[in-house]
Amino acid sequence: MKVEDLTIKNIHQGLLKKEFSASEITQAYLDRIKSQDEKINAFLRISEDLALTQAEKVDQLISEGKSISVLAGVPMAIKDNILVKDLKSTAGSKILENYIAPFDATCIKKLKKAETVFLGKTNLDEFGMGASTENSAFKKTFNPHDLSRVPGGSSGGSAAAVANNECCCALGSDTGGSVRQPASFCGVVGLRPTYGAVSRYGLIAFASSLDQIGPIAKNIEDAKIIFDIIKGKDEKDSTSVETQSFSHSVTQSLSDLVIGVPKEYFKEGIDKEVREAIEKVIKKAEKQGAKIEEVPLAHTKYALACYYLISPSEASANLARYDGIRYGKSEIENPEIQSLMDVYLKTRGEGFGVEVKRRIMLGTYALSAGYYDAYYLKAQKVRTLIKQDFEEAFKKVDVIFTPVSPTLPFKIGERKKDPLQMYLSDVLTVSAGLAGIPALSLPVEKVKGLPIGLQIIGKPFQESEIFKVGQFVEKLVH
Ligand code: GLN
C-alpha cells in the first residue's frame, strides 16, 4: 500500500477487503507527514493520538462485522480555522495561539459520525486573509510542485497536504477563493459550495455573508463524497439549507451541455499559459459535443473592489470579539496596562498581524458614518448586479468555465509586500463568492511543472451538476 495512490474509494475498498487496517493507513500517513512535512510546512499541528484512537475504533467496527461509511478510517486534514473539540484552533493568528476548541464544528461532528480520521490542523493565512499562506503568524507553507513558490491561500496548508499525499483529503474554507485558488496552485480538486450548503457553525468567522467550508481532494469523486457528508441544514447556522434544496444532475454526457464562457475572464492580466490551458479544455469539450456559448458577465470588473469593501467590513465586525476580555490571548497581565482601553489596544496591537490590521482599518472606514453609503452600501448594490449577471447567464447555459487564478503559482515573497498585487490574485474567484454560487477548481494541465486549474461555476445548489461536468472534464484531460 502506497499513500500516493490512495483515494477515499480505494481506502474504503481496501478496508472492506482487509488489505490493510485503518490503523495501518493512519500510521502510514503520520509517517509520511513526519518525513515530508518539514519540506512544505502544510501542518501547524498533528493530532496523532486522536487519529490513532479514531482509526482503532474503525478497525474495531470492521472486526465486529459492522457496516462502515465510505469515509470511515479515511485520514483527513482540517484547516486551522475549523473547530475540532479539544484541539487547538488558531486560525493562523497569534491572538488565538492558545485557543482550544470547546466544541466541534458541525461539519466535524458529521465527519466524526462517519468515523473519519483527523490527522491534524493545517496552516492558513491569518483568519483566512490572503492568497499565499504567507500571512500565517506561525510559518509559511511551500508549494509541493516547486518549493520556491506559494501554495496559494488561504487554505494553502490543506491543499499542499493533499497534493503532497500527507493526507487523503482535507477541509478548507472559501470566502473569496481560499479553497479554489490553493487547489489550483497545488493541482488538486477544491469545491466552494453554494452559500448555505454547508453549516458555518464552528468556522472561525472572516466575512459571514461569504464564508463557506469546502472539501479539497485528489479527484472529483472524493470531493463529492465529503461534500455529501458535510452539507445540509443545521439548527446552529440559520443560513444553512435543507438537503432537499439540492438538485440532482441529469446530464448524461458533454453533448447535453451548454457551457458558458465569459470573455471578461480571459482578458489582459491573465497569463498566456493559463488562458491557453483553459481554452484548450473548452475546445476539447466542444469536440465532444458540448455547446459553447459566450456569456457576458459585465460587472466582473467591479467584483474585486466590491469584495475588498464587503469582506473587510464584515471582518472588522467579526474580529471585534478578540479584545483580550471575551476572546484572544490577553495582555491584561502586562505591567504597562493602566485601563480597559489599554487592554484592548495592547491585545489587538500585539495579537493581530499586518494584513489583519489593514483589513480591520479598511472595514471600519467603509462602515463609518459618512462613508457607509459611499462604500459599503454601494458595494452591496454592486454585489446584486454581479449576482444578476450570473442569473442572466444561467438562463442560457448550464455551467460556466473560467480559469481559477490569473497566474501560475507565484514566488514566495513576490507579492507579500504589495497588498494590491496580492488582492489581484483573487480577481477570478471573488465573483462566485459574492453571488453565493458554487464553484469548483479542477486541475487540467501542468505548465513548467506548475498546475493550472479550471473553474467550473454552477447554479445555486447544483453542486451535483458541477461534479458531473467535472468528471467529464477529468476524463478529457487525463
Ligand atoms: N484571498 C482572498 C482574501 O484575501 C480570499 C480569502 C478567502 O477566501 N478566505 O480575502
Side-chain angles (χ1 to χ4, degrees):
M1 167 259 300
K2 276 175 75 186
V3 292
E4 288 90 330
D5 307 327
L6 294 175
T7 62
I8 295 178
K9 260 285 173 62
N10 49 41
I11 289 182
H12 185 60
Q13 280 154 1
L15 289 174
L16 293 181
K17 286 193 210 136
K18 304 215 162 56
E19 284 166 11
F20 42 71
S21 68
S23 304
E24 279 165 351
I25 286 283
T26 301
Q27 194 56 56
Y29 276 105
L30 289 169
D31 292 345
R32 171 105 185 151
I33 296 171
K34 280 177 202 153
S35 68
Q36 286 278 318
D37 201 52
E38 250 170 67
K39 206 173 70 186
I40 62 162
N41 279 342
F43 281 88
L44 285 173
R45 266 158 273 105
I46 309 301
S47 47
E48 183 159 354
D49 292 346
L50 173 65
L52 291 171
T53 313
Q54 288 173 317
E56 270 166 37
K57 184 158 170 229
V58 174
D59 289 332
Q60 182 73 28
L61 290 172
I62 295 172
S63 72
E64 287 166 6
K66 302 243 166 74
S67 71
I68 54 164
S69 98
V70 62
L71 270 176
V74 173
M76 196 170 190
I78 309 292
K79 188 178 182 180
D80 204 30
N81 59 354
I82 300 171
L83 306 193
V84 180
K85 190 174 188 293
D86 298 331
L87 295 188
K88 261 191 195 170
S89 282
T90 67
S93 182
K94 210 173 130 195
I95 213 159
L96 286 175
E97 181 169 66
N98 299 319
Y99 178 69
I100 296 176
F103 61 90
D104 281 324
T106 297
C107 61
I108 296 296
K109 226 184 214 162
K110 292 182 174 185
L111 290 168
K112 279 188 176 169
K113 207 166 154 221
E115 312 288 350
T116 313
V117 169
F118 299 127
L119 294 171
K121 307 293 296 285
T122 55
N123 199 18
L124 68 155
D125 288 300
E126 187 174 359
F127 288 106
M129 298 175 191
S132 67
T133 315
E134 291 167 293
N135 293 339
S136 165
F138 304 110
K139 51 169 123 169
K140 286 190 189 81
T141 299
F142 303 98
N143 191 318
H145 296 272
D146 176 347
L147 298 176
S148 70
R149 291 175 192 270
V150 303
S154 63
S155 314
S158 286
V162 174
N164 204 36
N165 298 302
E166 294 179 27
C167 56
C168 175
C169 50
L171 285 187
S173 66
D174 189 307
T175 305
S178 277
V179 163
R180 291 162 284 157
Q181 184 255 19
S184 173
F185 276 14
C186 293
V188 294
V189 171
L191 171 77
R192 174 200 167 82
T194 311
Y195 186 75
V198 177
S199 169
R200 287 172 297 111
Y201 182 68
L203 169 67
I204 297 177
F206 164 8
S208 307
S209 77
L210 296 155
D211 298 340
Q212 269 294 290
I213 293 170
I216 298 179
K218 282 198 256 183
N219 60 30
I220 301 266
E221 183 175 50
D222 283 4
K224 181 174 178 348
I225 292 172
I226 301 165
F227 175 70
D228 284 340
I229 299 251
I230 63 175
K231 73 180 184 195
K233 177 79 191 156
D234 174 18
E235 289 306 317
K236 295 194 169 88
D237 176 358
S238 59
T239 63
S240 63
V241 301
E242 299 291 350
T243 316
Q244 297 91 281
S245 320
F246 296 88
S247 54
H248 294 289
S249 165
V250 287
T251 308
Q252 296 297 329
S253 77
L254 277 171
S255 56
D256 293 344
L257 270 189
V258 185
I259 299 171
V261 179
K263 62 174 181 318
E264 292 82 358
Y265 282 67
F266 293 81
K267 282 196 166 155
E268 83 274 17
I270 315 298
D271 278 4
K272 186 166 163 279
E273 291 95 338
V274 173
R275 203 184 56 232
E276 285 176 357
I278 304 306
E279 283 170 352
K280 207 155 96 193
V281 180
I282 295 170
K283 283 243 162 65
K284 279 189 187 166
E286 191 173 23
K287 259 206 183 130
Q288 298 288 314
K291 204 161 161 263
I292 309 297
E293 182 118 2
E294 201 177 297
V295 283
L297 292 172
H299 296 90
T300 302
K301 56 177 179 289
Y302 305 116
L304 202 62
C306 178
Y307 172 83
Y308 275 99
L309 283 167
I310 293 173
S311 66
S313 296
E314 293 183 11
S316 71
N318 274 327
L319 270 54
R321 75 191 70 173
Y322 306 104
D323 57 9
I325 302 291
R326 288 173 296 172
Y327 278 98
K329 187 172 171 242
S330 185
E331 290 290 322
I332 201 160
E333 310 284 351
N334 188 318
E336 286 166 36
I337 297 289
Q338 303 281 331
S339 65
L340 181 60
M341 188 52 113
D342 282 351
V343 179
Y344 295 158
L345 296 178
K346 197 100 183 121
T347 297
R348 292 167 70 80
E350 299 280 319
F352 289 137
V354 185
E355 182 59 26
V356 172
K357 287 180 186 163
R358 183 179 294 120
R359 307 254 183 142
I360 293 174
M361 286 190 277
L362 277 170
T364 314
Y365 184 79
L367 289 178
S368 59
Y371 293 105
Y372 182 93
D373 289 2
Y375 293 114
Y376 183 71
L377 191 64
K378 182 71 116 347
Q380 288 289 23
K381 289 179 180 167
V382 174
R383 180 180 193 171
T384 303
L385 297 174
I386 291 169
K387 187 163 175 273
Q388 286 169 350
D389 279 353
F390 281 110
E391 284 163 3
E392 277 309 307
F394 282 126
K395 283 181 188 158
K396 292 193 292 185
V397 303
D398 301 303
V399 286
I400 293 174
F401 279 14
T402 78
V404 175
S405 158
T407 65
L408 293 169
F410 45 91
K411 292 263 187 195
I412 304 269
E414 194 181 303
R415 296 185 176 208
K416 176 100 167 71
K417 292 240 157 56
D418 183 351
L420 283 181
Q421 271 309 104
M422 191 69 92
Y423 299 170
L424 276 173
S425 346
D426 308 327
V427 66
L428 307 178
T429 47
V430 291
S431 294
L434 289 165
I437 55 179
L440 175 128
S441 175
L442 174 70
V444 290
E445 200 176 317
K446 266 177 112 179
V447 173
K448 300 177 199 151
L450 300 170
I452 294 175
L454 163 75
Q455 177 167 235
I456 306 176
I457 307 175
K459 298 177 192 172
F461 302 109
Q462 295 208 352
E463 279 81 358
S464 62
E465 179 77 359
I466 293 185
F467 288 134
K468 195 61 146 317
V469 174
Q471 281 178 321
F472 293 136
V473 178
E474 257 175 354
K475 285 192 197 115
L476 281 186
V477 297
H478 288 144

